Every structure is written in structure tokens, then in C-alpha cells.
Amino acid sequence: MTALQRAIAHPVSVPGMRSTSPVAGLDRRSVGAWDVLGQSVAAAAPAAATTTVPVLVATSAGGATLPAVVAATLLALLVSVAVNVFTRRMAATGSLYTFVSRALGARAGVVAGVAILLGYSFIAMFALTGAASYLGPLAEELGIAGVVLLPVLALPVLVVPLWGARRTARVAVVMEGASLLLIVVLGVALLMRTGPPDWGGMTHTVTAPGMVVGTVLALTGFVGFESASTLGVEARRTFTTVPRAVTWTVVVSGVIYVGAVTLQLTAFQALGRDLGSSTSPVNELSAAFGPPWLAGVLDVAIALSFLACAIASAVAMARILFAMGRELVLPEWFGHVNRVRQVPTVATRVAVALIAGPPVLAAAVGLDLQALMGVFIVLAAAGFLTAYALVCFAAPAFARQIGEPHPWTTVLSWSGAVLISASLVTFLVLQVMTAHAATAWAFVVLLAAGTGLGWLRLARSPVARDRVGMYDEPTSQDILGGDS
Amino acid sequence: MSFSFGHPDVVARLNGAPAPEGSINARQPGAILHALQILECVARRGPGTTASEISTDLRVSRATTYRLVRLLADDEYLVRMPDLRGFTLGRRVAELAAPAAPAPHLSRAARIALAVLRDRVRAGVHLVHYSGTRIIVTDEDTDIPLTDPHRLLTDPGSTAAGRLAAAWEEAQREGRRPPTHAQQVRHGSPKRGCLALPVPDDAGHLVAALLVEAPPARLADPEELMSILLSGVSELTLLLT
């Protein structure tokens, strides 16, 4: 008789297992691989970012635009290596918040949690405002006032995440997929008109500051790629599908950005203009090379991608608030799950209120939405970079703690930690030195305030302290020899 | 309950022989043998066996071990301990050793009763038996097969049949009246929902369940279906117990 046969015939009792999972109520293992990938891709929104990222990078990096985008892709890959140390081993809803809590303790976890929540909420505000600004001209023709447009767009962001994890992810995939397909088709069509890129005719002066700033700005096109990890509990074959989704989102986005930058540089060169001086390159290119109706179609496609990003960010944010609710770091009702839809309804509604509130209010009082988008993206990027740096520090520590060290991932995670930390500091210093000084300080204040409140809660509640880092623990029903 | 990992190389390596040259990695068929060896190793060492211990015991590289334990954990043959350090065997490994055909014999009369029911309800009608904590499909509707038979094994708690068993047990424990049915309808799901009706024996133990899979709309108000099914269930109760 082998040991396995013996174990099956007479299971060894494994005491101390819970009878229910701390995340009970969610629709466990219901979301398929493509939808999990869709969550991450939609949150990163590469289709919409092709309109913002290349020009943003070109403005600061000049000749180093393409190298900066490639460098950002590699940096994002380093972060994905660190994130996947966790996603391969634990199914959680709290994403980087839970990961950092497990590895570096509750206090560091709270910093990561506040940072990533700032990231998701501001990227969602950016996306929502972006959708409104792209749909603005169309809405005007249809007689919809700009003030009404934002609340109308916020409606799907509230409703879709309440449909259940699987359907929400499917909607986000279809929206982002349609948008992406159109952008790629147009890109290929444009390439056939302009001919192959003429590298010799372009400027290649690479300056170190330009490269660093360009890389950090290009990174904003990737943020959100880790959001598949918020579906850890709800994904099927979670230890395979989630890490794959995280890595592939970076690869897919990277390829799209490299393509978009090459194409935009080529096309602007053909027009005899400089990409960095353009305000809206995709629209200007469609006006220059395409038929007149194309601009409207493009606007709708980009708005779709932005909306998918807002929806995916709301989903991710809700899962993190849910985790904090179940841990009692936030009030208990954040951990409530609707029995029929099996989604954290309260956390979702709060997330959407936080996302939709500021842009809707700003539009109502008549603030300049374009300027506001600039503020949102800076706050979001700073939030994500903070959380990424922490998770890169956390990954090697976690691997050591659980007795599964891995030399390569340690080296890569540490490189990520150093490079991302340096990027974050550069980014913030740069913002302080330029027009966005107030925004950079606002980020520091928001992060400090959130962290302070979180630490206060931890100090007062031993239960919360004990529960932080909660994940979908195995129950006695899952194991051989569990006392049921 | 008899199975063995008959390959002589494997047996030799379990006994400590060195790995052959050009060791296999997770992409090759040898991975399957490694996977079984890993289960064997965890069974031998007991709950809390770490990936490093497995890697040392089997003389397989760490990277391959990590990859294989992840695949085994994905399918719940291995389960990571609550502190995330080390593994224990998942309930699913019991399937490996389960007899090939554990399903109880179904009498001709019972099969006819099921066929009559299938004609009357125009939906997928299936019979499952409870065996310990496992749910065994005894008679599946061949015209309208089960939408997700795998889930009955991997996550019974989320199926109608599993919910029925849990509710039945709870009612017995608390001395309440046993439930008349259990449902599993995924909200807005394009898939079919499922209704489970209990088939108890004389002593009041849950022996089997009749599952009816139909579009969620038909299950929203199960009274019409239930009226047809209840007579069939009482007939089955007599034939099965």
C-alpha cells in the first residue's frame, strides 16, 4: 500500500481548519480565463491610452519616445513578476493590499491599500472624464448638455459591476475588445498609406532626464494591469489564469503602445509635424488621412475603452474595499455580499460614488475637464507607483516566509523595487517642480491621511489587526481529513 | 481501491535513486508522473509539507516543483495550508482511489419512472446519489446532459444537489422539517438553473436527489414543475430505497 492509498483510506486529521472561508458569499471560481484577462486589459485600457500615452511621452522624451515606451514595458513586466509571486499562491480579493499585508505586515499593507485605492479611484475618474470629453461633441449634436453627460456615463459604471463578476468582466472585455480592434485596424490602414517608418529621418537625441520622465509617463499606460488579482477568488483555475492575465496584459499593452508610437511618429513625420506638439494626435491623424466620418467613430471607440476602464477599476476597487470590510479595517457593511448576485454590493456602490462624485461635481460647477484629467492621472500614477514599489519589496520576503525562495524572482523583484521607487520619487519631484505641485502635495496628504486613519483603526481593533491579509483560505471541506 | 504507479523508474526514484540524466520538466509527459509523486510525497510527509521538501525528496528542480504544485492546487488535489506554508492533500485526491463505478444499480422500474418524468417536464432530468461527502451521477439525461457535471465533484456546495444535502443535514440537526427542494439559479446566467428534490429513505436519510435543469425563467416559479415532479419523486423513493 502506498502512502497515498493509506492517506485516502485513513485520512490524517488536520485540525484547526475553518469551516467557512473568510470571503464566503462571492461567486467562487466562476470567471473564465478570457474574462479574467479582460478585467486586467480593460483596467489598463490600451485602446484609450494610444490617444494619450504616445503624445504625453513624446512631449517630455522627444527623441527617446520609443525607448521610453519599451523601458516602461520592461518595468511593468518586473512588477508583474513580483505580483505573480502572490497570485500563483493565494486567492485574494485585496490584490496588492493583501499581498503586502501578508509579507510586510499590516501597517505596510495599509499604505499599499490606500495607495492602490487612490490609484483605482483616480484612474477611474480620469477614464470617466475622458469618456465624457470624447463624447462631448457627439452629445452636443444630440442636444445633451455637458453637465448631464457625466452622470449619464456614470450610470453604466454603477450598474454593470452589480451584475455579477462574470457578466461584468464579459461586458468590459467586449467594450475594450471592440475599441481595440478598431484602433488596430485603423493603425494598419494608416500604415498602408504612410508606408514603412523612416527611422533615419527622425530625431534620436536621447537625454537622461527625458528618458526617465518619458518612462514614468509611459508607465501610466500600463497601470491597472494587476487588477485581475482582485478576481483571485472568483477566477476559475485561479493560480494559473490570474498570473497569466497579469503578464499578458503587460505584453499586449506594450506591443500596442510600441506600435502606436511608431505609427504616430511615422505619420506625423509624413505630415511634416512634430508629435510632441500635437494635442490630440489620433484625431488629427484621422482628420489628415481618413474620411470625415472617421473622427466620430474614433471618438465613440475611445470613449468605450475609457468606460470599460472605469468599470474595471470600479470592480477592482470594490473588491479591495470588500476585503477591508471583512477584515473590519473598514466598517463591517463593506463586506456585505448580495446573495443572489454574489457581488459585494455595498463596496461597489461606495466605490462608484467615490469615482463618479468628484467629476460630476466638477462638471456641475463648470471646472475645466481637460485640466482636471491632468490632475487625476497624476494622482492615479503616484498611487499605483507607490503600491507597485511596495509589492516589489514584498515579493521576495513572502517567498522566503513560505519557504519557496526563487533566485530569479528575487533578483527581478528587487530590481523592480529599486527602479519603481526611483521612478516614483522622480515623478513626484518633477510634478512639484512644474505646474502640478499642488497635485503632488495633494497625493502626499491623501496617502498620509488614509494611512493615518488605517493605522489608528489597527491600533484600536485587535480583531482587525489579526485579520489583515485575509484571503480565500481552504476550509475543512476542501481537504482530506478536515473535520467536517 | 487498487492502483499503483507501476513504472519501475518511478518506484526506484521514490526509494531514493538519483534522477536520470536530462531530467524532465513540467512540459513533458513525465510531469504527470512527477505530479503523482508529489501527491505521494505529501501523503507520506503529512499536512504542511513544503515545496522545498518536495523538491528535495523527489530531486526535481524548484521551478518545476513550484509549477507542478500550482497546477495540482489549481485543481484542488493539493491545498495550501492556511498559513500559506506547505500543502496538504485536497479532498479531490479521494477521487483518484474511488472505485470506477460506485453508482448503485438502478432497477428497470426506476429507469422507466425517470424516462416518464423526462417526457413530462421537457427539461434535463438527472438522478444523483450521495456517498459520504461526494455526489455521484447515477443516471444522466442523455438528451439534455448536465451543464457542469465537473462542478458536482469540485465545488458541490455551489450546486443545487450540494445545497440540498447541506440544508437537509442542518434541518435534521436542528430538528426542523426537512427542505422540500433546493435551487441554484445564477442571476442572469445564460446557463440553465437547477432544482434538486430529495429522495429520502425510511429513516429520513437523504439517499439521492432528482435534479432538473431548466432555463432560469422556468425555475423562477417552480410550483408548476414541482407539481409534476413530486409524484415522480415519491415513485422513485419507493423504487430506490
Side-chain angles (χ1 to χ4, degrees), chain B residues 28 73 172 174:
Chain B
Q28 291 166 339
Q172 277 200 327
E174 293 171 8

Side-chain angles (χ1 to χ4, degrees), chain A residues 19-114:
Chain A
S19 57
T20 53
S21 163
V23 296
L26 292 178
D27 199 1
R28 281 177 92 203
R29 301 187 186 129
S30 63
V31 185
W34 282 103
D35 295 332
V36 175
L37 177 66
Q39 163 69 30
S40 261
V41 174
T50 51
T51 65
T52 54
V53 167
V55 61
L56 210 61
V57 179
T59 316
S60 326
T65 304
L66 201 55
V69 169
V70 174
T73 310
L74 295 177
L75 257 184
L77 276 175
L78 286 182
V79 179
S80 77
V81 168
V83 169
N84 287 341
V85 167
F86 296 94
T87 56
R88 291 206 169 96
R89 292 168 172 87
M90 59 194 282
T93 66
S95 183
L96 307 196
Y97 160 62
T98 306
F99 300 160
V100 175
S101 302
R102 276 268 153 192
L104 303 178
R107 284 164 154 252
V110 167
V111 181
V114 173

Side-chain angles (χ1 to χ4, degrees), chain A residues 67-231:
Chain A
V69 169
V70 174
T73 310
L74 295 177
L75 257 184
L77 276 175
L78 286 182
V79 179
S80 77
V81 168
V83 169
N84 287 341
V85 167
F86 296 94
T87 56
R88 291 206 169 96
R89 292 168 172 87
M90 59 194 282
T93 66
S95 183
L96 307 196
Y97 160 62
T98 306
F99 300 160
V100 175
S101 302
R102 276 268 153 192
L104 303 178
R107 284 164 154 252
V110 167
V111 181
V114 173
I116 194 99
L117 281 174
L118 287 175
Y120 284 130
S121 53
F122 283 109
I123 201 80
M125 290 182 217
F126 172 79
L128 194 58
T129 318
S133 83
Y134 273 92
L135 286 180
L138 191 72
E140 240 169 65
E141 272 178 38
L142 294 173
I144 303 170
V147 188
V148 191
L149 187 59
L150 258 168
V152 169
L153 290 175
L155 213 61
V157 181
L158 173 62
V159 176
V160 176
L162 293 174
W163 283 349
R166 208 158 48 102
R167 275 185 112 191
T168 309
R170 185 64 55 85
V171 170
V173 176
V174 170
M175 287 168 78
E176 183 64 33
S179 180
L180 212 49
L181 191 70
L182 190 84
I183 298 274
V184 170
V185 167
L186 287 179
V188 173
L190 182 60
L191 194 67
M192 284 157 89
R193 288 205 149 190
T194 59
D198 166 26
W199 296 112
M202 292 181 198
T203 46
H204 294 292
T205 40
V206 177
T207 60
M211 179 74 190
V212 173
V213 177
T215 306
V216 177
L217 290 174
L219 256 182
T220 60
F222 292 90
V223 297
F225 69 88
E226 75 300 321
S227 80
S229 60
T230 60
L231 295 183

Side-chain angles (χ1 to χ4, degrees), chain B:
Chain B
M1 217 170 73
S2 119
F3 65 100
S4 77
F5 311 135
H7 200 285
D9 285 350
V10 178
V11 176
R13 288 184 63 192
L14 279 174
N15 291 331
E21 274 182 13
S23 194
I24 35 190
N25 65 43
R27 297 196 186 283
Q28 291 166 339
I32 297 163
L33 284 179
H34 275 315
L36 289 169
Q37 285 175 306
I38 288 174
L39 293 178
E40 178 76 16
C41 174
V42 175
R44 197 172 55 240
R45 281 180 163 266
T49 306
T50 66
S52 318
E53 288 168 344
I54 296 171
S55 154
T56 318
D57 274 18
L58 303 183
R59 299 175 193 215
V60 175
S61 76
R62 276 171 188 253
T64 306
T65 310
Y66 295 165
R67 188 198 291 270
L68 286 171
V69 294
R70 172 165 55 82
L71 292 173
L72 287 168
D74 252 334
D75 275 327
E76 294 173 80
Y77 288 110
L78 279 186
V79 174
R80 210 174 259 278
M81 297 293 283
D83 64 356
L84 293 164
R85 237 190 117 86
F87 297 85
T88 186
L89 294 175
R91 189 150 287 198
R92 262 199 95 184
V93 297
E95 284 168 32
L96 293 175
H105 175 72
L106 213 54
S107 70
R108 200 168 154 211
R111 283 204 303 272
I112 290 171
L114 277 169
V116 170
L117 266 182
R118 278 171 190 146
D119 280 346
R120 290 183 62 193
V121 298
R122 302 184 325 274
V125 175
H126 320 278
L127 186 69
V128 295
H129 271 76
Y130 296 99
S131 159
T133 55
R134 304 201 318 132
I135 299 171
I136 301 158
V137 182
T138 328
D139 197 279
E140 190 175 351
D141 197 329
T142 43
D143 295 331
I144 314 170
L146 277 162
T147 28
D148 198 357
H150 190 59
R151 208 174 171 101
L152 284 172
L153 292 172
T154 53
D155 193 10
S158 74
T159 64
R163 284 181 190 177
L164 178 69
W168 191 275
E169 212 171 272
E170 195 183 315
Q172 277 200 327
R173 213 172 33 238
E174 293 171 8
R176 282 188 285 111
R177 250 158 46 98
T180 55
H181 66 281
Q183 264 198 38
Q184 186 256 331
V185 181
R186 284 204 187 189
H187 194 86
S189 161
K191 280 189 183 172
R192 284 166 286 171
C194 186
L195 182 70
L197 285 92
V199 180
D201 65 6
D202 290 342
H205 295 303
L206 188 62
V207 178
L210 191 72
L211 305 184
V212 181
E213 283 198 324
R218 271 188 85 187
L219 295 179
D221 185 25
E223 304 309 320
E224 176 241 329
L225 262 178
M226 293 273 284
S227 62
I228 307 175
L229 293 168
L230 281 175
S231 62
V233 168
S234 50
E235 195 181 346
L236 276 172
T237 308
L238 293 175
L239 294 167
L240 291 175
T241 57

